[in-house]
Amino acid sequence: MVLGKRLRQLREQAGVSFEDAARAIEVTPLTVRRIEKAEVGLRIPYVKELLRTYGVPAAEIEDFLTLAREANQPGWWYKYRDVLPEWFSAYVSLESEASVIRLYEPHYVPGLLQTHDYATALMRVGFPNESKEEIARRVALRLKRQDLIVKPDAPAVWAILDETVLRRPVGGVEVMRAQMDRLIEVLDMPKVRIQVMRFFVGAHPGAYGPFHHFRFGFSELPDVVYTENLAGSVYYDRPEDVVTYLEILDRMSVQAEPVARTRDILAELRKEL
């Protein structure tokens, strides 16, 4: 996405139209548009010729091609492609590159914070016809994603959880107790913040469903908001759409219990189990 946007900027700076760029690499203008929108892979011969057409110096071309080759390498999640839906692979990619992840979850503990047993229980419900081996693969992918929050350059994760998340029994009492312990444990991580939206707040602007907001350390990448449903997912990156979700997150962060109260709330709910 970053390199595609840079290619667009270079083309515009050089005053080259889509049609002229397409003629340079003998493709349709639509293909050039798709390259710039990261809808297709970066074919090195195409990229090299486009850069020449845009008047980029040879030394800079080689640097760009090095980045393009790196961008074409499959991510760590590629080995889980047998259990990773195509619509969710984009999510894992965005999650892996984000510098800030803000989210609202009204139903379940976020994947980045789930225990093995909690994740397994959810997978069994979500994929009732799959074998134990397939369920285990899905759980392994989810747990592998959690490496993200313990990296030295971990993103800031700010989660607002509806109280329903903490009261809905998943996998039985012992599984829920262990999950509560895990949430209490991650509160000690410097870049993890959790707030709880209590029942007594009543109606609030995010009650329509879960959504996740990603911000990146690249100026070329816009913020992205992810939502999902039973049939797939939707990614929003238009500023007007993203701002709507950010405003809702800000309002909800005021309505939810302060971060300083989260540990006590989790401890209280754990005792009720």
Side-chain angles (χ1 to χ4, degrees):
M1 291 174 68
V2 171
L3 296 182
K5 189 168 184 179
R6 288 181 182 173
L7 282 172
R8 187 191 73 188
Q9 292 170 342
L10 289 168
R11 178 181 58 76
E12 292 175 345
Q13 290 170 4
V16 177
S17 67
F18 281 117
E19 290 73 18
D20 289 340
R23 278 192 289 271
I25 57 175
E26 300 182 356
V27 297
T28 66
L30 177 60
T31 298
V32 177
R33 292 177 184 272
R34 295 187 69 194
I35 290 173
E36 293 181 356
K37 291 182 178 180
E39 294 176 350
V40 294
L42 294 171
R43 295 184 61 180
I44 300 302
Y46 285 0
V47 173
K48 189 172 185 178
E49 190 57 39
L50 286 174
L51 293 173
R52 286 175 176 167
T53 301
Y54 304 156
V56 177
E60 294 182 23
I61 288 177
E62 288 308 313
D63 290 341
F64 198 106
L65 294 180
T66 298
L67 294 175
R69 293 185 184 97
E70 292 176 0
N72 285 336
Q73 295 300 312
W76 63 261
W77 54 90
Y78 182 73
K79 66 179 182 179
Y80 294 100
R81 61 192 180 280
D82 56 321
V83 292
L84 183 63
E86 184 175 347
W87 57 265
F88 193 65
S89 62
Y91 178 96
V92 179
S93 178
L94 294 171
E95 181 182 71
S96 298
E97 296 297 334
S99 59
V100 179
I101 302 172
R102 295 181 66 184
L103 60 96
Y104 168 63
E105 281 289 349
H107 305 306
Y108 303 109
V109 172
L112 287 177
L113 307 178
Q114 292 176 9
T115 65
H116 177 279
D117 291 343
Y118 186 97
T120 301
L122 285 182
M123 293 299 180
R124 286 173 178 163
V125 173
F127 303 93
N129 299 319
E130 291 198 348
S131 66
K132 291 182 179 180
E133 292 74 17
E134 290 171 321
I135 294 295
R137 289 278 292 162
R138 291 185 182 276
V139 173
L141 169 60
R142 180 156 299 182
L143 297 183
K144 181 64 177 175
R145 285 170 48 207
Q146 296 178 6
D147 290 348
L148 183 70
I149 62 174
V150 297
K151 296 194 309 181
D153 59 342
V157 178
W158 184 355
I160 299 177
L161 309 184
D162 196 275
E163 186 173 342
T164 306
V165 172
L166 306 173
R167 292 189 178 277
R168 174 176 284 113
V170 174
V173 172
E174 292 305 316
V175 171
M176 284 303 297
R177 283 178 179 159
Q179 181 60 70
M180 291 288 198
D181 289 339
R182 174 58 178 164
L183 291 176
I184 293 172
E185 176 186 308
V186 300
L187 291 176
D188 292 327
M189 294 182 177
K191 290 192 174 182
V192 176
R193 303 177 68 184
I194 300 175
Q195 288 182 270
V196 179
M197 184 70 75
R198 302 304 296 264
F199 288 148
F200 58 70
V201 171
H204 60 81
Y208 297 98
F211 57 93
H212 298 193
H213 168 262
F214 299 102
R215 177 160 290 170
F216 308 93
F218 306 97
S219 60
E220 295 89 348
L221 275 182
D223 289 6
V224 176
V225 170
Y226 164 89
T227 65
E228 68 177 42
N229 52 54
L230 289 175
S233 61
V234 179
Y235 296 87
Y236 300 97
D237 62 1
R238 294 194 311 170
E240 56 267 37
D241 294 329
V242 172
V243 166
T244 298
Y245 281 95
L246 277 177
E247 288 178 348
I248 288 176
L249 279 170
D250 288 341
R251 289 167 60 190
M252 291 173 63
S253 68
V254 174
Q255 290 179 282
E257 291 292 295
V259 174
R261 282 272 299 134
T262 301
R263 190 181 301 272
D264 291 339
I265 293 171
L266 292 173
E268 291 167 8
L269 294 177
R270 189 188 185 286
K271 286 181 181 178
E272 293 182 16
L273 291 171

